[in-house]
Amino acid sequence: MKKIDVDMKVKFLRGFSDKTRIQILEAIKTEEKTVSQIVKELNGNQSNISQHLTCLKGCGLIVGRQEGKYVFYSLASEQIRELLTMFDVVLGDVQNQVACCERHLD
């Protein structure tokens, strides 16, 4: 397995470090959706959601598929889906410690 630079890992993880981006990833975890569908599901505004979609796409976490005038967004790979699931598994084990962590408050 190729060794990945730690700075690259940090940059990759920043794609997951925003509440809206996590909500978007969760929204498209099982099925592709358009911007309008994501906006409606998250009760967000289109400009903000579009900016986050651009970030996620630029980081390689999602892909867009053009169909007529609509772009359908989905996770870029099964590994991203598995990673999101693994976040839930690990968080289930450490959520009490995370809840008590005072270093990374939001």
Side-chain angles (χ1 to χ4, degrees):
M1 185 172 177
K2 184 175 130 182
K3 184 172 170 96
I4 304 294
D5 178 68
V6 74
D7 291 330
M8 188 60 64
K9 288 180 184 179
V10 170
K11 190 172 185 178
F12 173 73
L13 289 171
R14 282 192 185 124
F16 297 96
S17 68
D18 181 88
K19 181 179 179 178
T20 301
R21 289 194 293 270
I22 291 291
Q23 289 173 314
I24 291 168
L25 292 168
E26 290 293 336
I28 63 174
K29 188 175 176 180
T30 58
E31 66 178 334
E32 64 181 8
K33 294 183 179 159
T34 64
V35 175
S36 298
Q37 290 172 314
I38 296 167
V39 167
K40 184 176 180 182
E41 185 171 326
L42 301 185
N43 196 27
N45 80 41
Q46 186 155 347
S47 175
N48 183 268
I49 299 294
S50 292
Q51 288 177 9
H52 285 291
L53 287 167
T54 299
C55 174
L56 290 167
K57 193 173 178 186
C59 289
L61 300 177
I62 67 170
V63 293
R65 177 182 65 82
Q66 185 84 38
E67 187 175 302
K69 66 178 186 172
Y70 297 102
V71 177
F72 289 84
Y73 292 95
S74 61
L75 299 180
S77 68
E78 182 60 31
Q79 288 85 0
I80 300 297
R81 185 178 342 283
E82 291 171 7
L83 184 56
L84 290 168
T85 299
M86 186 54 66
F87 284 158
D88 292 341
V89 170
V90 172
L91 187 56
D93 291 340
V94 298
Q95 65 185 346
N96 290 335
Q97 293 91 326
V98 172
C100 294
C101 179
E102 295 181 11
R103 294 197 56 143
H104 300 288
L105 300 173
D106 187 30

